[in-house]
Coordinates of all heavy atoms in Angstrom, one line a residue:
H246 N -55.5 57.0 21.2 CA -56.9 57.0 21.0 C -57.4 57.5 19.5 O -58.5 57.7 19.3 CB -57.6 57.8 22.0 CG -57.7 57.2 23.4 ND1 -58.7 56.5 23.9 CD2 -56.7 57.3 24.4 CE1 -58.4 56.0 25.1 NE2 -57.3 56.5 25.4
G297 N -68.2 35.0 24.4 CA -67.8 33.8 23.7 C -68.0 33.8 22.2 O -67.6 32.9 21.5
A310 N -48.0 43.7 3.8 CA -48.7 44.8 4.5 C -50.1 44.8 4.2 O -50.8 45.9 4.3 CB -48.0 46.1 4.1
E347 N -57.7 14.3 1.6 CA -57.9 14.3 0.2 C -58.9 13.1 -0.3 O -59.8 13.3 -1.0 CB -56.6 14.1 -0.6 CG -56.8 14.1 -2.1 CD -55.4 14.2 -2.8 OE1 -54.4 14.2 -2.1 OE2 -55.4 14.2 -4.1
Q348 N -58.6 11.9 0.2 CA -59.4 10.8 -0.3 C -60.9 10.9 0.1 O -61.8 10.7 -0.7 CB -58.9 9.4 0.3 CG -59.6 8.2 -0.2 CD -59.0 7.0 0.4 OE1 -58.0 7.0 1.0 NE2 -59.6 5.8 0.0
D397 N -55.8 30.4 16.7 CA -55.6 30.2 15.3 C -56.8 30.6 14.5 O -56.7 30.9 13.3 CB -55.3 28.7 15.0 CG -53.9 28.4 15.5 OD1 -52.9 29.2 15.4 OD2 -53.7 27.3 16.1

Side-chain angles (χ1 to χ4, degrees):
H246 288 266
E347 183 171 1
Q348 184 177 358
D397 290 318

